[in-house]
Amino acid sequence: PGIYVCAKCGHELFSSRAKYEHSSPWPAFTETLREDSVAKRKERPGALKVTCGKCGNGLGHEFLNDGPKQGQSRF
């Protein structure tokens, strides 16, 4: 339980309340802690490249419409 932060700068990214079990080996979240927690840019259809909103450290992707509920995204 708690807050997940950027490994590079400590910026707060996700809350454990938004974490859920997914088949991916990586932690999966339905939403960021705040709107400015991450920056996003379109990488390909259905996926956005996600970086830390403070330092730009690479965090992976946001997969659109791949969350636990219809219409939710997965980080």
Side-chain angles (χ1 to χ4, degrees), residues 17-43:
R17 290 176 296 198
K19 187 177 179 186
Y20 71 99
E21 291 297 322
H22 187 268
S23 60
S24 167
W26 309 108
F29 302 91
T30 55
E31 62 188 6
T32 59
L33 191 61
R34 291 186 301 273
E35 193 169 322
D36 69 345
S37 292
V38 302
K40 308 173 193 178
R41 69 174 170 78
K42 187 173 182 175
E43 185 171 79

Side-chain angles (χ1 to χ4, degrees), residues 8-73:
K8 188 173 180 180
C9 74
H11 187 61
E12 294 182 340
L13 305 169
F14 304 100
S15 167
S16 60
R17 290 176 296 198
K19 187 177 179 186
Y20 71 99
E21 291 297 322
H22 187 268
S23 60
S24 167
W26 309 108
F29 302 91
T30 55
E31 62 188 6
T32 59
L33 191 61
R34 291 186 301 273
E35 193 169 322
D36 69 345
S37 292
V38 302
K40 308 173 193 178
R41 69 174 170 78
K42 187 173 182 175
E43 185 171 79
R44 63 182 187 267
L48 305 175
K49 183 72 176 167
V50 178
T51 57
C52 174
K54 183 175 181 182
C55 73
N57 187 38
L59 301 173
H61 295 86
E62 176 181 1
F63 297 99
L64 308 175
N65 300 309
D66 190 40
K69 295 179 185 171
Q70 187 174 13
Q72 277 187 325
S73 290

